[in-house]
Amino acid sequence: MTKQNEASWVESMKALSPTSSTSLPATDYQASWILHHPSALSMFEHIINASKGKEIVMFLDYDGTLTPIVEDPDQAFMSDAMRAEVKNVARYFPTAIVSGRCTNKVYSFVQLAGLYYAGSHGMDIKGPANGYKYKNGNPAVLIQPASEFLPMIEEVYKALVEKTKSTPGAKVENNKFCVSVHFRCVEEKVLEIRPTIKWDKGKALEFLLESLGLADCNDVLALYIGDDLTDEDAFKVLRDRGQGFGILVSKIPKDTSASYSLQEPCNGLFAPVGGVEETDYKRAFQGLNNRRNYPHPSKRRQEENVEIQGELHVYQRWATTNKDSRRVTSLDPSNSFSCKYFTSFFLA
Ligand SMILES: O=P(O)(O)OC[C@H]1O[C@H](O[C@H]2O[C@H](CO)[C@@H](O)[C@H](O)[C@H]2O)[C@H](O)[C@@H](O)[C@@H]1O
């Protein structure tokens, strides 16, 4: 990759990048955004009230939600305190971790049995087999809708490792049913290659609700907490179905289908601060629902896709470690520069 290519690619991606388009001054926009997406902490009582008499189901994204964003993806460890909080939540409610990472990786970070894990953006869903018994200590596979893509993804992974090995700051991550390529050399950015199947975190959420026998119930309240554009699919599903609330983790206003917001990764919610006492939280949740033996499972802001060889999509995200702007953009099929760039760089 030449410096010139890299620089013009950056410019091209910036031009394509979604903006917080508004004519309002920044502070007014922020204030108006927070009115529409109030802090989940300040709305805690409201959420609790809305869940009265309902089955709460928790969906939690991993990176940026249960852990802060860090530079090295292999070092995104979950704190013991957060693990304890998630474990506590999962004692009372069916709880799923929904992540772009492969299920095994996210499971190795979270290390909690009894949860559902929807890795590879929901393309690899595993969960407790026979209630809480894991087969050979591992979660059981519930669905892998992209399994036929495995050999292709493996091939793409190897090709990307080979192609990027001399690129400083590049790191290729095998997320089993998709591949992430992190670049640190110019700005922090991530390319993601995924199968073209119609499956995303929203579909994973629907699948899990159905598996739990809760899809068509009025008495379910699902909460989905996430920070990423890919979480918007799940926020939208919840909004469209009227079965719960999305909570967006973001310091800055963003277009979102989430109802509420959190400024920081979830330790703000699970270890309550800002006026909600821990005892209130536990009492509220404990009083709400003690159902433990739940059944064993038998228009987002569209990311534009690039079809590569008809079977893979390429997405591009921009991220900023621990800072306030986590920009997300995508390769656009109508942008010939992007397509050509990808094709020539990775697949030539
Ligand atoms: O769905 P998620 O659980 O949010 O996973 C999405 C991606 O997360 C990881 O990348 C992000 O977090 C890294 C660690 O903090 C950070 O270094 C990177 O810049 C972020 O993009 C993971 O590495 C990706 O494979 C996931 O797709």
Side-chain angles (χ1 to χ4, degrees), residues 248-268:
L248 174 70
V249 183
S250 177
K251 278 189 169 37
I252 54 163
K254 286 181 186 169
D255 289 344
T256 182
S257 297
S259 304
Y260 302 117
S261 62
L262 278 177
Q263 293 251 324
E264 302 287 342
C266 283
N267 44 349

Side-chain angles (χ1 to χ4, degrees), residues 114-117 125-131 133-134 138-142 296-297:
L115 270 61
Y116 294 83
Y117 290 86
I125 305 188
K126 296 182 178 169
N130 304 323
K133 286 193 195 79
Y134 276 37
N138 289 315
V141 172
L142 302 180
H296 170 248

Side-chain angles (χ1 to χ4, degrees), residues 324-337:
D324 59 357
S325 65
R326 197 151 179 247
R327 290 246 307 253
V328 180
T329 190
S330 56
L331 295 174
D332 178 344
S334 64
N335 183 292
S336 55
F337 173 78

Side-chain angles (χ1 to χ4, degrees), residues 30-175:
Q30 177 103 23
S32 144
W33 189 83
I34 207 76
L35 267 182
H36 287 98
H37 308 283
S39 157
L41 289 171
S42 66
M43 296 303 286
F44 189 78
E45 288 301 326
H46 175 82
I47 297 172
I48 292 297
N49 286 336
S51 66
K52 285 209 170 107
K54 296 189 177 182
E55 173 83 23
I56 292 180
V57 189
M58 292 296 300
F59 294 91
L60 304 166
D61 168 53
Y62 185 75
D63 289 280
T65 297
L66 295 179
T67 57
I69 295 293
V70 293
E71 189 155 329
D72 181 354
D74 289 333
Q75 302 294 315
F77 300 113
M78 192 175 174
S79 69
D80 289 341
M82 179 62 82
R83 184 170 299 103
E85 294 297 335
V86 174
K87 189 174 179 183
N88 196 36
V89 166
R91 279 176 60 208
Y92 299 103
F93 315 117
T95 299
I97 310 290
V98 188
S99 176
R101 290 180 184 263
C102 72
T103 297
N104 288 355
K105 182 78 179 184
V106 82
Y107 181 61
S108 75
F109 279 144
V110 177
Q111 292 173 32
L112 290 172
L115 270 61
Y116 294 83
Y117 290 86
S120 307
H121 293 286
M123 288 182 283
D124 187 10
I125 305 188
K126 296 182 178 169
N130 304 323
Y132 279 83
K133 286 193 195 79
Y134 276 37
K135 208 176 165 189
N136 308 322
N138 289 315
V141 172
L142 302 180
I143 192 169
Q144 291 180 333
S147 49
E148 80 215 58
F149 288 86
L150 265 184
M152 183 190 295
I153 293 289
E154 191 57 35
E155 221 176 283
V156 167
Y157 169 70
K158 285 187 191 143
L160 288 169
V161 169
E162 188 57 30
K163 291 278 181 190
T164 56
K165 69 182 179 203
S166 54
T167 305
K171 184 183 178 93
V172 187
E173 226 183 330
N174 188 342
N175 288 332

